[in-house]
Amino acid sequence: MAPTAIPRIIPRADHTISRSHISPNALRVLYKLRDAGFMGFLVGGCVRDLLIGLEPKDFDVATDALPEQVKRLFRNCRLVGRRFRLAHVFFGREIIEVATFRAASAPSQGEEPLPDADPEDGEAAELDDPQLLEADSLADPALSDGSLDDSPLGEAALSDTGRGDVPRGDAGRGGRVDGAPGSGARSGRGASNYDRTFPTADPDTDTDVLAERMFDETGRILRDNVYGTIDADVWRRDFTANSLYYNIADFSVWDYCGGVEDVRARKLKLIGDPETRFREDPVRMLRAARFEAKLGFTIDAATAEPIGRLRDLMGGVPPARLFDETLKLFLGGHGERSFAVLRQRGLLAALLPTVDAYLAAHPGSLVEKLLVQGLRNTDSRVQADKPVTPTFLFALLLYGPIAGIIEATPPERWHELGTILDACDLAARQAQTNVAIPKRFSLGVREMFGLQPRLEHPRGRRALRVLEHPRFRAAYDLLLLRAQHGLASDEMAQWWTRLQEVSAEERGQMADSLTGQAQRNDGPPRSNNSGGGNGSGRRRRRRRRPSGPS
């Protein structure tokens, strides 16, 4: 599907988008751009969602104002991004992202321009997003201070891809930039094609805006800073459903490629030649699967056809970006459906090959049923506005590979703690070849699995200490899932459930009943201390050294 040169303008009376459903902060940005003499449009997924009656998760703005001009308009603005420069306008915790229209020359037949840098597309994966960084800083304490927010599923979905702004330096004055030929800097993995253009200088400053494009040998865009008009910008959008523009000047919707009809028909169709567009950005294949799962859209046959042939191109995508896409797929409230679509489209093998290999070798296994039920539980928590965490998600996804590694050892070692922990470490390393799993999440998975033997075989009052472990809640929820599918004792799962519901005194009685001991009256259990070697279990009292000169 190719955009037309002139948009179809749908007046306010002929569409259902109301300003009452648009973020007041987004409206402030649009109005201020309009009042300053610039064009201002809502664009992308938010327009699509408003048309089908969904509440957008964020609002993105497109304008003919250059990033530096946007920054001068808004004191609460910060320029971010390396692949494509964007303006972030901050209103507390809400960020309105403002992108300058991107340029594209009229494409010849069979030749399409570069991909868009729509934030939802993950194009701006190298942004220094303070909201993400703040969320990231809030996550670690939850992993170490005993917080129980790590149950299925307790932390915000985080992205570790922030790398900071690109300093303007000489690049902003028409000089070289990192990665430019002859700069002496690395231009990115596999970069082979570099094209730079210098658009008209900003009339309000003495600074020229450097526009640049960089590809790799597979056709994937590495960097794209080329500004243009709205008529060219539409070529940078990925799907027709995401290429709609809401004009604040007269509240109309501008449609260049039949996006309104595709939204109403719930059809997902790429703009331009599908193979070219997927080669430009292989992550679009994951985005297509996500929209199919999230929105219930049907992928157009021409768009779906190259996916099986091109899925291996995702091996060239930075693992940090695939981590971010994994969270969007599985922690957005449609994880179970995303899992089914990924398998159906053959994309799970490209994203998490060890997971796909285990499921293919064990079709319909209890592990697969556990994974699907865990994703279903996660979706329920998201829909109930409860917290979710990547730690539990990766415990579910890696359950099969971990089990496979354990089963490859002698049976007598299957229940040894060392075997379990080594399997967790190896499974995480294998997955990180494709998806960059931050250490705080992979270590969390390790601790969850390491607690399973202690939950299945509690030892008297020592079991009470497990309740204080920062990963107890997540490990307990994993135990419930395992018991539900016959992979652990249902009796012990019920015992731990009751243990959390009763008083401290009753907990002691339940712990004593495990070993047949009578309840002790000398307070809480002591730690296992063998330092004195006197066999009494009591800590030896230290003799006080006399003060003063000897």
Side-chain angles (χ1 to χ4, degrees):
M1 176 66 189
T4 60
I6 301 175
R8 171 191 169 199
I9 298 180
I10 304 168
R12 173 65 187 90
D14 295 339
H15 65 75
T16 58
I17 297 178
S18 169
R19 280 172 291 169
S20 63
H21 299 144
I22 299 174
S23 161
N25 294 322
L27 290 174
R28 289 189 185 98
V29 172
L30 291 168
Y31 287 140
K32 195 161 188 176
L33 287 169
R34 181 197 64 183
D35 295 343
F38 297 109
M39 300 174 75
F41 292 82
L42 284 182
V43 66
C46 61
V47 181
R48 176 201 68 215
D49 290 348
L50 289 169
L51 281 175
I52 60 179
L54 297 178
E55 181 180 353
K57 64 182 179 65
D58 50 35
F59 292 86
D60 298 327
V61 172
T63 180
D64 57 345
L66 293 172
E68 291 77 9
Q69 294 172 321
V70 176
K71 186 174 183 179
R72 285 198 300 271
L73 281 178
F74 300 94
R75 295 176 59 189
N76 52 329
C77 177
R78 183 180 184 187
L79 300 186
V80 298
R82 182 177 302 176
R83 184 172 186 172
F84 187 81
R85 178 148 284 229
L86 300 163
H88 278 181
V89 185
F90 294 84
F91 297 91
R93 295 190 64 85
E94 183 178 12
I95 298 175
I96 305 300
E97 195 154 71
V98 183
T100 304
F101 295 141
R102 286 148 290 187
S105 59
S108 60
Q109 187 175 5
E111 181 181 345
E112 314 298 348
L114 299 173
D116 67 296
D118 190 278
E120 190 179 10
D121 191 21
E123 301 281 8
E126 294 181 319
L127 302 184
D128 182 10
D129 188 333
Q131 192 174 40
L132 290 180
L133 297 179
E134 181 179 358
D136 187 55
S137 67
L138 293 175
D140 283 341
L143 303 182
S144 58
D145 64 358
S147 170
L148 299 184
D149 279 347
D150 206 20
S151 61
L153 297 145
E155 289 168 272
L158 307 175
S159 170
D160 281 1
T161 56
R163 294 187 183 177
D165 296 346
V166 180
R168 288 191 59 82
D170 293 336
R173 302 181 182 275
R176 297 191 185 278
V177 296
D178 290 344
S183 67
R186 293 182 61 186
S187 61
R189 184 165 55 179
S192 61
N193 184 0
Y194 191 91
D195 173 34
R196 289 188 299 160
T197 61
F198 295 84
T200 305
D202 182 348
D204 298 324
T205 68
D206 59 354
T207 303
D208 288 337
V209 180
L210 174 64
E212 51 174 335
R213 293 173 176 169
M214 188 191 302
F215 313 78
D216 70 6
E217 67 277 3
T218 67
R220 183 169 66 92
I221 180 65
L222 298 176
R223 188 171 295 172
D224 182 11
N225 278 306
V226 187
Y227 305 127
T229 65
I230 185 173
D231 298 336
D233 184 79
V234 68
W235 271 106
R236 307 307 185 93
R237 306 292 156 187
D238 50 6
F239 301 102
T240 59
N242 295 341
S243 65
L244 300 172
Y245 298 77
Y246 175 82
N247 187 5
I248 196 61
D250 59 4
F251 319 123
S252 62
V253 172
W254 290 22
D255 182 1
Y256 283 86
C257 48
V260 170
E261 284 72 21
D262 287 342
V263 168
R264 289 171 178 167
R266 303 271 175 150
K267 182 178 291 186
L268 204 60
K269 187 185 301 182
L270 269 172
I271 299 174
D273 175 61
E275 180 160 345
T276 301
R277 304 312 301 276
F278 284 141
R279 285 187 179 277
E280 289 170 347
D281 186 6
V283 170
R284 286 197 173 114
M285 290 181 272
L286 293 180
R287 279 171 54 78
R290 174 156 58 91
F291 290 140
E292 182 179 5
K294 173 185 175 181
L295 303 171
F297 279 30
T298 301
I299 301 180
D300 180 68
T303 297
E305 188 276 329
I307 291 178
R309 291 186 284 106
L310 302 179
R311 65 186 183 185
D312 290 341
L313 291 177
M314 283 197 289
V317 177
R321 190 175 173 206
L322 290 184
F323 169 77
D324 189 52
E325 287 298 323
T326 301
L327 299 191
K328 292 178 182 178
L329 282 161
F330 293 110
L331 296 184
H334 45 84
E336 181 185 4
R337 176 64 181 151
S338 293
F339 174 73
V341 172
L342 288 175
R343 296 195 70 189
Q344 175 190 348
R345 301 288 179 188
L347 292 171
L348 186 63
L351 184 66
L352 294 165
T354 57
V355 177
D356 183 75
Y358 183 90
L359 296 175
H362 304 83
S365 64
L366 294 177
V367 170
E368 180 178 337
K369 294 176 181 177
L370 178 147
L371 170 56
V372 172
Q373 183 61 53
L375 293 174
R376 188 178 301 139
N377 294 348
T378 302
D379 293 342
S380 298
R381 289 184 64 87
V382 173
Q383 291 156 13
D385 202 25
K386 295 181 179 179
V388 294
T389 172
T391 301
F392 199 91
L393 170 65
F394 284 104
L396 295 173
L397 293 173
L398 298 181
Y399 194 106
I402 291 171
I405 295 169
I406 292 175
E407 290 165 1
T409 64
E412 60 271 16
R413 295 187 54 197
W414 287 1
H415 300 288
E416 294 179 5
L417 181 61
T419 301
I420 295 172
L421 297 181
D422 289 345
C424 291
D425 293 341
L426 179 56
R429 286 197 301 273
Q430 291 172 343
Q432 286 173 338
T433 303
N434 295 68
V435 178
I437 307 173
K439 182 171 286 188
R440 64 181 178 278
F441 300 137
S442 60
L443 289 179
V445 172
R446 191 177 193 268
E447 291 175 338
M448 286 173 60
F449 277 89
L451 283 174
Q452 295 305 302
R454 297 176 65 181
L455 296 177
E456 291 186 77
H457 306 286
R459 300 180 181 179
R461 290 209 170 195
R462 292 180 62 184
L464 301 183
R465 297 183 206 147
V466 180
L467 293 172
E468 302 171 3
H469 195 286
R471 296 286 179 192
F472 165 74
R473 184 70 192 185
Y476 161 73
D477 289 318
L478 182 59
L479 176 68
L480 292 183
L481 269 178
R482 295 178 62 228
Q484 183 178 347
H485 294 87
L487 296 170
S489 167
D490 185 62
E491 180 182 357
M492 289 314 306
Q494 293 178 14
W495 187 87
W496 283 103
T497 300
R498 174 161 173 73
L499 188 70
Q500 297 173 73
E501 297 171 347
V502 300
S503 65
E505 182 179 357
E506 290 177 287
R507 285 180 182 178
Q509 293 173 352
M510 290 179 64
D512 289 337
S513 68
L514 291 175
T515 56
Q517 296 177 357
Q519 184 176 358
R520 298 172 62 106
N521 295 318
D522 55 353
R526 292 189 292 266
S527 62
N528 184 19
N529 226 329
S530 57
N534 59 7
S536 66
R538 297 183 181 180
R539 182 171 295 182
R540 180 177 292 176
R541 195 171 182 181
R542 222 175 201 178
R543 174 180 281 179
R544 190 170 182 179
R545 184 175 293 178
S547 59
S550 56

